[in-house]
Amino acid sequence: MSDEDDRALTCINAGTYGSDFANGEMRISLLRGPAYAAHPIGDRPLVRQDRYSPRIDQGERLFRFWFNVGAKTERLEAIDREALALNERPFALSFNPSGAGEAPKPMVVIEDEVVQLTAFKQAEQSEEYILRLFEPTGTARAFKVTFPALDLMQEIKIGAFEIKTLRLNPPRGR
């Protein structure tokens, strides 16, 4: 990332373990090699050194990376959504609507492209719904959440990296 050039390079991976950036280079860890069940017990060594011990990441591996470069703000606001989309595996759904009738209104619309809806579910002990929002860029935001099907709107403020949980009660209209 370059503040003076307003540029950023982002890397999305499909399951590698970590990375860091030091001295002008990005270093991506491809494998980790911890032994199975290497929990310390007293002064016993974690892994016996006088025999073969299987390691978690042995075997064939496939690595996938997606690199992108662009304006710093644009890259930082897009990276989380890109990572979610690229790491979500497609699945087949056998559904053939006729196209007749009215299209239903969306249940929830978040008027900020950066804030993520990480959960929308019915509450476990009531008829209410739970929404969980996440701000992934480290910048506080204010935005609207609308529920077109219920004709409801709520203005929301969320802090940097905040996870915010909201409760929706459709019968009460809030």
Side-chain angles (χ1 to χ4, degrees):
M1 187 164 21
S2 171
D3 288 329
E4 61 189 47
D5 295 332
D6 188 38
R7 305 295 285 166
L9 169 73
T10 56
C11 173
I12 298 170
N13 67 70
T16 57
Y17 295 102
S19 63
D20 72 348
F21 186 84
N23 301 321
E25 65 182 39
M26 183 185 321
R27 301 179 304 183
I28 301 170
S29 302
L30 298 180
L31 299 175
R32 61 184 181 138
Y36 291 98
H39 185 73
I41 300 174
D43 62 351
R44 185 190 84 175
L46 292 179
V47 178
R48 300 229 180 251
Q49 300 300 309
D50 62 346
R51 65 192 76 164
Y52 169 77
S53 297
R55 301 294 174 126
I56 291 174
D57 278 340
Q58 291 196 349
E60 187 175 328
R61 297 288 182 262
L62 172 65
F63 301 104
R64 294 187 322 179
F65 298 94
W66 295 271
F67 292 94
N68 244 319
V69 68
K72 185 178 92 170
T73 302
E74 173 191 307
R75 287 284 73 232
L76 293 177
E77 289 183 351
I79 187 67
D80 260 30
R81 285 184 186 269
E82 290 172 352
L84 288 170
L86 290 169
N87 280 292
E88 182 73 27
R89 298 283 176 250
F91 62 93
L93 177 63
S94 179
F95 183 69
N96 298 301
S98 69
E102 277 187 50
K105 294 180 181 178
M107 184 60 191
V108 61
V109 175
I110 299 170
E111 295 182 6
D112 186 307
E113 292 183 356
V114 174
V115 174
Q116 298 172 8
L117 176 66
T118 60
F120 183 81
K121 65 174 197 144
Q122 186 168 3
E124 293 179 21
Q125 298 179 356
S126 73
E127 297 297 314
E128 297 172 319
Y129 292 90
I130 303 296
L131 287 85
R132 190 151 297 127
L133 304 171
F134 173 59
E135 195 295 311
T137 66
T139 303
R141 299 174 175 282
F143 57 95
K144 293 178 185 174
V145 174
T146 58
F147 303 91
L150 302 172
D151 198 28
L152 293 174
M153 185 273 296
Q154 180 70 47
E155 294 200 21
I156 305 291
K157 290 183 180 176
I158 193 167
F161 299 115
E162 183 178 356
I163 298 171
K164 184 169 281 232
T165 301
L166 306 171
R167 185 178 293 266
L168 172 65
N169 188 327
R172 294 176 66 184
R174 55 183 193 138

